[in-house]
Amino acid sequence: MFVEGNGYTNHCHKCFYSKHVDIQPGDRLAKCGGLMKLISVQGSTNNITITHQCQMCGFTRNNKIQEGDSLEKLVELMQTLNSQK
């Protein structure tokens, strides 16, 4: 799926997968290019942080949810993550 963003957009608003393209947020200098999977969700309703982990190299990064993110899908993913613990 193609995700159009603003230079800092780092994940799909529907499935929450990302691509490992940054060393520092927005620089697009990472050479890995692996898929980054959502591995955790923290915070409260007004301040939600998600954590992605690259499935190729293991790199992790925290990100805030963004306008347009599917909160229904995020809740579904949180339930899946909690059931795997």
Side-chain angles (χ1 to χ4, degrees):
M1 168 181 276
F2 176 76
V3 176
E4 186 174 342
N6 61 10
Y8 291 93
T9 303
N10 62 354
H11 61 266
C12 174
H13 298 299
K14 295 180 181 176
C15 71
F16 287 87
Y17 266 86
S18 182
K19 191 171 183 181
H20 188 187
V21 295
D22 293 344
I23 295 171
Q24 297 298 320
D27 67 12
R28 303 304 194 242
L29 295 175
K31 303 294 184 211
C32 177
L35 281 179
M36 295 186 72
K37 181 180 179 180
L38 181 122
I39 60 166
S40 71
V41 180
Q42 305 85 237
S44 62
T45 308
N46 298 329
N47 188 19
I48 299 173
T49 301
I50 58 178
T51 303
H52 287 109
Q53 182 176 44
C54 180
Q55 301 300 286
M56 283 182 60
C57 73
F59 177 79
T60 60
R61 166 147 303 142
N62 292 329
N63 302 286
K64 294 189 183 263
I65 62 166
Q66 300 174 3
E67 185 176 332
D69 283 349
S70 170
L71 296 181
E72 285 180 19
K73 183 64 176 179
L74 185 61
V75 168
E76 185 181 309
L77 289 168
M78 288 170 55
Q79 291 170 337
T80 300
L81 290 170
N82 287 336
S83 71
Q84 293 173 351
K85 291 182 179 179

